[in-house]
C-alpha cells in the first residue's frame, strides 16, 4: 500500500503566558492511501494539532510531516491546501450566500467554480440552496456545505475535526454516511478526529489513541477496540465506555 501521510518523530510546542507547552511529543505514524484513520483521546491531548500540521496551519518544531512523500515545508502552500482539505466542527460560514461560500476556495486562487450544482447534489443539497444565505442553514446543512466547499479543490486527503459533534443524531448519521461515500467513491484518505468512540469504531480502518501529546497505541480499528495492547488504552476505553 502507498503511504499518503507520514509523521516522523514530530514535536510541537506553544508558548502560553511565557510557559512552554509541549503539545506533541515525538509522534510517528503512517496513513495509507484511501484509508480512514480515526484519532481519539482526551481534550487537549494534541489531536487537532496533528491535523493542523498536515496542511501548514501549523509547522512542526521537530521531525517531519510528509504528504505523499514530501515534507509539508517543501510544498507550495496553495498546492498543498488543494491536495489536503480540512473541515472543522461547527462548519464556520462567511457572510453571504451558499454559492459565495461554496466558491470561496477557487475565488482565492483567482478561479471560477464550474457547475456548483454538482457539488451541491453530491452532498445532498439542492440547487435552490445556492441563493440562500449560508448562515440561515441548519447545522447539518452547514456541515454538508462545509464538506462541499472542501471538495471543490478535489483533495486527495481530508482532515476532519469533530465534524459531527455539534449535530443532532440524525444529521450526524447523514454527514457520517456522506464522508464514507466520499472515501469509497473517490478513494480519499481521511484523518478523522472524533470524541465519539462508537463513531471511531464504525468508520475507522485504523485508530490512534493520543494522550498527552503521544500516540499511545495505533492499530487496526477492530483490534484496537476488541483487544488493545497498551494498558493506557485499556484504561481509557474502560473509563469512557465501560470496557472490560
Amino acid at each position: 500500500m502507498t503511504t499518503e501521510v507520514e509523521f516522523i518523530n514530530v514535536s510541537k510546542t506553544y508558548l502560553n503566558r511565557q510557559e512552554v507547552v509541549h503539545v506533541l511529543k515525538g509522534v510517528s505514524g503512517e496513513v495509507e492511501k484511501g484509508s480512514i484513520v480515526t484519532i481519539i483521546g482526551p481534550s487537549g491531548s494534541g489531536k487537532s494539532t496533528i491535523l493542523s500540521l498536515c496542511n501548514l496551519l501549523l509547522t512542526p518544531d521537530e521531525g517531519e510531516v510528509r504528504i505523499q512523500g514530501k515534507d509539508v515545508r517543501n510544498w507550495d502552500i496553495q498546492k498543498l491546501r488543494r491536495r489536503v482539505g480540512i473541515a472543522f466542527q461547527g462548519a464556520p460560514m462567511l457572510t453571504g450566500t451558499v454559492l459565495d461560500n461554496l466558491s470561496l476556495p477557487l475565488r482565492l486562487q483567482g478561479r471560477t467554480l464550474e457547475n456548483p450544482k454538482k457539488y451541491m447534489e453530491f452532498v445532498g443539497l439542492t440547487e435552490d440552496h445556492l441563493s440562500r444565505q449560508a448562515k440561515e442553514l441548519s447545522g447539518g446543512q452547514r456541515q454538508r456545505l462545509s464538506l462541499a466547499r472542501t471538495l471543490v479543490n478535489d483533495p486527495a486527503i481530508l482532515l476532519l475535526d469533530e465534524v459531527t459533534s455539534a449535530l443532532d443524531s440524525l444529521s450526524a448519521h447523514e454527514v457520517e454516511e456522506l464522508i464514507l461515500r466520499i472515501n469509497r467513491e473517490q478513494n480519499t484518505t481521511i484523518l478523522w478526529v472524533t470524541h465519539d468512540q462508537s463513531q471511531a469504531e464504525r468508520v475507522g480502518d485504523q485508530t490512534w489513541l493520543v494522550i498527552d501529546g503521544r500516540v499511545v497505541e495505533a492499530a487496526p480499528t477492530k483490534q484496537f477496540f476488541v483487544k488493545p495492547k497498551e494498558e493506557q488504552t485499556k484504561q481509557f476505553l474502560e473509563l469512557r465506555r465501560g470496557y472490560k
Side-chain angles (χ1 to χ4, degrees):
M1 296 292 290
T2 303
T3 298
E4 193 83 334
V5 183
E6 186 174 10
F7 302 89
I8 305 172
N9 200 30
V10 174
S11 295
K12 181 66 183 175
T13 59
Y14 293 122
L15 188 62
N16 183 17
R17 298 179 182 176
Q18 299 185 329
E19 178 185 358
V20 176
V21 179
H22 295 273
V23 182
L24 296 180
K25 306 168 185 176
V27 168
S28 294
E30 297 182 0
V31 181
E32 293 180 353
K33 181 177 176 59
S35 69
I36 299 177
V37 170
T38 49
I39 304 174
I40 64 174
S43 297
S45 60
K47 304 184 298 297
S48 295
T49 300
I50 288 173
L51 298 189
S52 296
L53 291 169
C54 293
N55 72 345
L56 286 179
L57 289 175
L58 296 172
T59 54
D61 295 327
E62 296 179 11
E64 290 184 25
V65 178
R66 294 179 180 172
I67 300 296
Q68 298 178 335
K70 183 177 177 180
D71 190 312
V72 287
R73 289 166 290 201
N74 295 331
W75 278 84
D76 172 84
I77 193 165
Q78 283 197 348
K79 289 182 180 178
L80 177 67
R81 289 180 178 171
R82 287 199 294 269
R83 195 69 54 88
V84 184
I86 190 164
F88 296 99
Q89 175 185 358
M93 294 287 117
L94 300 176
T95 300
T97 65
V98 168
L99 180 58
D100 292 334
N101 277 267
L102 181 63
S103 58
L104 177 65
L106 297 189
R107 275 208 320 276
L108 293 174
Q109 302 166 36
R111 300 162 60 199
T112 301
L113 176 62
E114 303 292 340
N115 196 7
K117 177 183 175 182
K118 176 181 76 171
Y119 294 98
M120 297 294 284
E121 290 180 344
F122 186 81
V123 300
L125 296 174
T126 67
E127 187 177 13
D128 294 342
H129 284 94
L130 287 168
S131 60
R132 291 180 57 183
Q133 292 298 305
K135 292 186 176 181
E136 294 176 358
L137 299 180
S138 69
Q141 289 172 330
R142 285 197 301 271
Q143 199 65 71
R144 287 169 181 269
L145 175 56
S146 176
L147 288 167
R149 185 171 58 189
T150 302
L151 294 176
V152 299
N153 276 326
D154 193 25
I157 299 162
L158 194 55
L159 312 172
L160 305 175
D161 196 355
E162 302 278 16
V163 292
T164 62
S165 64
L167 303 179
D168 62 75
S169 58
L170 177 60
S171 297
H173 174 75
E174 291 174 344
V175 170
E176 183 180 301
E177 288 299 310
L178 169 60
I179 293 164
L180 292 175
R181 180 183 166 204
I182 292 167
N183 169 256
R184 183 174 62 249
E185 295 185 3
Q186 302 186 8
N187 201 33
T188 305
T189 305
I190 297 175
L191 283 76
W192 191 336
V193 168
T194 178
H195 74 284
D196 183 342
Q197 289 188 26
S198 297
Q199 183 178 70
E201 193 170 3
R202 278 194 306 274
V203 305
D205 298 307
Q206 296 270 326
T207 297
W208 297 1
L209 173 62
V210 180
I211 296 177
D212 193 27
R214 302 182 189 278
V215 177
V216 171
E217 185 160 354
T221 297
K222 184 175 180 180
Q223 174 188 312
F224 181 95
F225 284 99
V226 173
K227 199 172 182 179
K229 293 181 179 180
E230 301 297 328
E231 190 60 35
Q232 262 190 299
T233 308
K234 295 174 184 177
Q235 291 173 359
F236 180 81
L237 294 176
E238 183 177 301
L239 178 66
R240 300 301 175 98
R241 296 184 60 192
Y243 176 86
K244 297 180 181 179

